[in-house]
Amino acid sequence: MASSITVNLMTHQTIARQYDLYINGCWTAPQAGRYRTLCNPATGAPLVTVAEADVADTRRAIAAARTAFDAGGWADMPPGERSRLLHALVDAIEARQAEIADAEMCNAGCTWRKATLMDIPVGLIHFRHFAKLADFDPLEPVPQITFPALAYNVVRREPIGVCGQIIPWNFPFLMAVWKIAPALAAGNTVVLKPASYTPLSAIKLVEAIHETGLLPPGVLNLVTGPGDVVGPELCVNPQVDKVAFTGSTEVGRTVMQQAASTIKKVTLELGGKSPNIILDDADLDVAVDGSLWAVFMHNGQACESGTRLFVPAAIYDPFMERLLDRAARLRVGLPEEGATDLGPLISAGQLQAVEKYIGLGIAEGATPALLGRRPTDPALAHGHFITPTIFTNVHNQMRVAQEEIFGPVLCVIKYAREEEAIAQANDTIYGLAAGVWSANIERAMSVANRLRAGTVWINDYHMIHAEAPFGGYKQSGLGRELGVWGLKEYLETKHIHVDLTRNRSDKFWFDIVAPQA
Ligand code: NAD
């Protein structure tokens, strides 16, 4: 795949700036004057300072979004016009894609290669798809109704209203697009809260949109700040109609509970512990490289990573020999270097959490066939780096096989029979994604059909398409993102009944007796 981004800024000091909140079409300081310094996870160097909103700031943003929605103009803009406007916004974002890629690298530790080949171009494709979907027909015909009388009925799709949107730190630009694009395409207004660690690419995205001057004030608002301050306000505030959350299952549970106080519409994209099943007829080289990509892409900091690898006993030894050999050759390094496969983890806390899980796996009896370590290269000394870990002799009930680690740790589980692999693959609280590797597509399809997951990849992994739904079974989430399924999550359904008869005897009304003369 060729990168469509030709300018590589690669400046770790791009952005010696302070960023405010974006409320009602203006950049505005937080009322308490608090800012937070963001650091580059690869070097520890300070990057920029970003506003720390409090509850009052969040309420200001919600009020702006409410006013913009209730005023009409945006919500009832003709779909074709809204679609054209959104295409113009994507053009503006695209014009700044190198800067956004740089922000993703410096702020989120994304390798330059992945940012420029995947995250930013894919995000732009997804945004454009929603710009196209915005031109939908809001009216849906209903079959003709004749009982108890002739009536014309129509179903109208309408925007839900004000959407509070909360996103995580692992794919900050893509997650911002997945939230903003369908919400705007459907005619909603938005308050977006990026993760505290990684707001920079979302800020750049909003800057690009702001500079077009095309979006009415209040339609899109950006509130950076602590998750446990801004997040709960978005969930409980009665002026917010829907909460869309991507993050951990633990926080997702809290979001759902908080949103219940006002019965908000809720969509949740949560954690995973995805099974990746090798069948005994798989092409070994393809399955080995695919499995490494499945688990170690972005250092395992992906919700749908293939973290539990099921390998059949019949090919276990040759498969593992290749897997370990190739995993040991993955290059951990600075994200801007073209040869780097794995950049840093997002934070010191995440690095410590991963190391704790490596210790736990060993204590549980798993064998560290490849043991992750902090690299000795002095160039990496100030970043949150760790090399990959591969555990063998893992049982599916071990905590390392059941809990989301969110780092470069693979659990390999040997199996004898296909049925056994499928049962264990499904034996998890999660159900986000899965992989199957086989030379026989019918066989792979039959396994895919029995996996309880929102997405199953056959002979590939991490392929997410603008046109296809993405979301979780079980405790991996509620609702779907992307495609028409993603758009529908931002639409209300209204039924309008138009009486076509004046005949009172066809109605169920009261038979009101006329007053006695
Ligand atoms: P997190 O749950 O810690 O935080 C997610 C967001 O919620 C952040 O913006 C955070 O500030 C905010 N938040 C924190 N406390 C909150 C509260 N009480 N109320 C409302 N919001 C609050 O997740 P993370 O560590 O940023 O990201 C990693 C997690 O995200 C993993 O579990 C991963 O699986 C999940 N994830 C899921 C998907 C998906 O599509 N299913 C995609 C990416 C990441």
Side-chain angles (χ1 to χ4, degrees):
M1 207 193 309
S3 168
S4 57
I5 301 180
T6 48
V7 189
N8 180 347
L9 298 180
M10 272 197 229
T11 72
H12 282 245
Q13 312 89 342
T14 30
I15 4 183
R17 263 189 64 179
Q18 176 168 295
Y19 289 95
D20 285 325
L21 308 169
Y22 186 69
I23 298 177
N24 206 24
C26 301
W27 294 98
T28 165
Q31 59 109 31
R34 273 198 293 274
Y35 289 83
R36 166 196 179 101
T37 300
L38 302 180
C39 293
N40 184 327
T43 61
L47 271 180
V48 293
T49 57
V50 173
E52 283 273 89
D54 59 15
V55 169
D57 294 315
T58 312
R59 287 184 184 155
R60 274 198 293 147
I62 293 169
R66 183 80 259 162
T67 305
F69 185 81
D70 293 344
W74 176 250
D76 48 25
M77 181 179 276
E81 205 177 309
R82 194 157 56 224
S83 171
R84 273 192 299 281
L85 191 151
L86 290 178
H87 276 294
L89 299 189
V90 189
D91 291 342
I93 301 164
E94 194 166 5
R96 292 180 65 169
Q97 58 180 313
E99 194 185 336
I100 295 172
D102 197 46
E104 210 70 330
M105 179 177 75
C106 296
N107 185 202
C110 180
T111 61
W112 180 253
R113 202 170 79 207
K114 188 167 84 65
T116 53
L117 285 175
M118 271 178 62
D119 295 32
I120 314 304
V122 168
L124 289 167
I125 288 169
H126 290 184
F127 210 136
R128 241 181 237 297
H129 188 67
F130 281 114
K132 198 169 89 188
L133 289 183
D135 192 6
F136 64 94
D137 183 352
L139 297 184
E140 277 183 33
V142 173
Q144 193 182 45
I145 291 171
T146 52
F147 177 84
L150 193 61
Y152 174 65
N153 284 263
V154 73
V155 166
R156 206 175 116 84
R157 299 281 192 182
E158 296 180 350
I160 294 173
V162 175
C163 300
Q165 306 189 311
I166 303 169
I167 54 174
W169 48 257
N170 56 346
F171 294 89
F173 177 72
L174 202 59
M175 294 298 103
V177 168
W178 285 17
K179 292 288 177 274
I180 293 171
L184 295 185
N188 299 280
T189 59
V190 164
V191 180
L192 178 76
K193 193 211 94 61
S196 317
Y197 283 119
T198 56
L200 205 47
S201 54
I203 292 172
K204 298 275 154 202
L205 183 158
V206 173
E207 272 185 348
I209 291 177
H210 172 70
E211 281 161 15
T212 66
L214 291 173
L215 218 49
V219 168
L220 174 62
N221 304 274
L222 178 76
V223 179
T224 50
D228 57 358
V229 175
V230 179
E233 185 57 28
L234 289 174
C235 296
V236 301
N237 191 304
Q239 301 295 315
V240 176
D241 300 292
K242 169 178 171 131
V243 174
F245 172 85
T246 299
S248 59
T249 295
E250 188 187 347
V251 178
R253 213 171 273 130
T254 307
V255 164
M256 200 169 170
Q257 280 162 355
Q258 289 168 337
S261 64
T262 47
I263 316 287
K264 291 191 200 326
K265 307 281 177 286
V266 178
T267 42
L268 302 171
E269 292 289 350
L270 307 177
K273 193 76 188 178
S274 299
N276 189 24
I277 303 178
I278 312 298
L279 300 184
D280 56 17
D281 61 357
D283 177 318
L284 275 198
D285 287 326
V286 171
V288 163
D289 282 359
S291 300
L292 291 174
W293 171 245
V295 64
F296 294 134
M297 191 266 289
H298 198 38
N299 268 350
Q301 298 174 115
C303 49
E304 23 73 81
S305 293
T307 45
R308 291 182 297 144
L309 181 63
F310 291 89
V311 182
I315 58 165
Y316 187 83
D317 290 342
F319 185 95
M320 288 307 298
E321 194 183 318
R322 281 177 217 217
L323 185 85
L324 292 168
D325 171 56
R326 294 182 73 77
R329 288 194 267 143
L330 289 171
R331 291 153 304 194
V332 174
L334 292 171
E336 65 265 35
E337 286 171 4
T340 296
D341 297 309
L342 281 71
L345 295 177
I346 187 64
S347 63
Q350 192 64 20
L351 176 57
Q352 281 156 15
V354 168
E355 287 176 329
K356 227 168 139 182
Y357 269 111
I358 294 171
L360 174 69
I362 294 168
E364 284 184 304
T367 307
L370 186 68
L371 182 61
R373 295 177 200 282
R374 297 190 186 199
T376 49
D377 179 352
L380 308 182
H382 301 293
H384 314 304
F385 292 93
I386 188 160
T387 62
T389 293
I390 297 183
F391 278 126
T392 54
N393 292 319
V394 175
H395 302 295
N396 196 47
Q397 291 313 314
M398 287 178 178
R399 279 183 60 194
V400 282
Q402 288 291 326
E403 296 175 16
E404 192 179 41
I405 299 174
F406 232 58
V409 180
L410 175 64
C411 292
V412 181
I413 300 171
K414 195 197 248 187
Y415 72 89
R417 291 173 21 257
E418 202 172 289
E419 290 306 320
E420 186 193 315
I422 294 168
Q424 289 186 69
N426 286 332
D427 187 8
T428 159
I429 62 165
Y430 298 112
L432 192 54
V436 183
W437 301 80
S438 169
N440 180 337
I441 295 305
E442 272 176 44
R443 189 177 167 206
M445 280 294 290
S446 138
V447 173
N449 290 342
R450 284 178 287 163
L451 291 171
R452 306 261 302 142
T455 298
V456 183
W457 291 286
I458 294 174
N459 294 335
D460 207 338
Y461 212 92
H462 294 304
M463 296 304 292
I464 293 177
H465 306 288
E467 302 83 354
F470 181 77
Y473 280 35
K474 301 192 270 181
Q475 295 186 37
S476 285
L478 209 58
R480 292 292 178 271
E481 296 196 286
L482 300 178
V484 290
W485 300 269
L487 184 72
K488 281 183 182 160
E489 300 284 0
Y490 286 93
L491 289 165
E492 276 284 18
T493 305
K494 178 181 281 174
H495 164 218
I496 301 175
H497 164 107
V498 185
D499 178 52
L500 294 179
T501 170
R502 312 201 84 196
N503 188 354
R504 285 192 65 119
S505 64
D506 288 337
K507 302 184 189 301
F508 299 128
W509 297 359
F510 295 119
D511 192 11
I512 298 173
V513 180
Q516 297 287 328

